[in-house]
């Protein structure tokens, strides 16, 4: 289920970045892509929650989405890169790994 959860997190990145391209839901194709990513992301999260604890699954899903969105924000939109942001992202990654290690399979 961890792979399913990770893929759900990747689709969360897709819809978060997609929101930027929809320009307030005024552009048709980016809006459709964003909604499709949302549906897939939520669907896979629901599947993962069948066997993983809700707190762990949700936290990992949000963490993967957050880290991916920050990285793509930097790459695609030229968002600022500084030590504080990178340390914060590293802490999120550490939290994801910690939850994985602390959760029984």
């Amino acid at each position: 289920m961890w792979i399913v959860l990770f893929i759900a997190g990747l689709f969360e990145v897709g819809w978060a970045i997609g929101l930027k391209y929809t320009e307030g839901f005024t552009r048709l194709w980016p809006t459709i892509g964003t909604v499709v990513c949302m549906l897939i992301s939520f669907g896979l999260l629901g599947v993962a929650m069948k066997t993983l604890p809700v707190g762990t699954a949700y936290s990992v899903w949000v963490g993967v989405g957050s880290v991916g969105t920050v990285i793509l924000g930097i790459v695609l939109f030229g968002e600022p890169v500084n030590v504080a942001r990178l340390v914060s992202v590293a802490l999120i990654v550490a939290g994801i790994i910690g939850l994985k290690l602390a959760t029984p399979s």
Side-chain angles (χ1 to χ4, degrees), residues 1-104:
M1 279 301 127
W2 289 101
I3 292 172
V4 171
L5 182 59
F6 181 76
I7 294 169
L10 294 178
F11 276 98
E12 185 190 4
V13 174
W15 69 257
I17 295 297
L19 283 173
K20 180 82 167 172
Y21 289 106
T22 68
E23 295 181 14
F25 299 105
T26 61
R27 298 181 62 216
L28 178 63
W29 292 112
T31 298
I32 290 171
T34 298
V35 170
V36 167
C37 284
M38 285 177 175
L39 293 172
I40 293 170
S41 180
F42 283 118
L44 292 175
L45 175 61
V47 169
M49 283 187 178
K50 286 182 179 180
T51 58
L52 295 173
V54 66
T56 298
Y58 183 76
S59 297
V60 169
W61 178 70
V62 169
V64 170
S66 297
V67 169
T69 303
V70 168
I71 292 169
L72 284 182
I74 291 167
V75 171
L76 297 175
F77 307 123
E79 293 179 357
V81 180
N82 56 50
V83 173
R85 288 188 89 198
L86 296 178
V87 167
S88 297
V89 168
L91 289 170
I92 295 169
V93 171
I96 292 168
I97 292 168
L99 285 170
K100 166 68 170 104
L101 295 174
T103 302

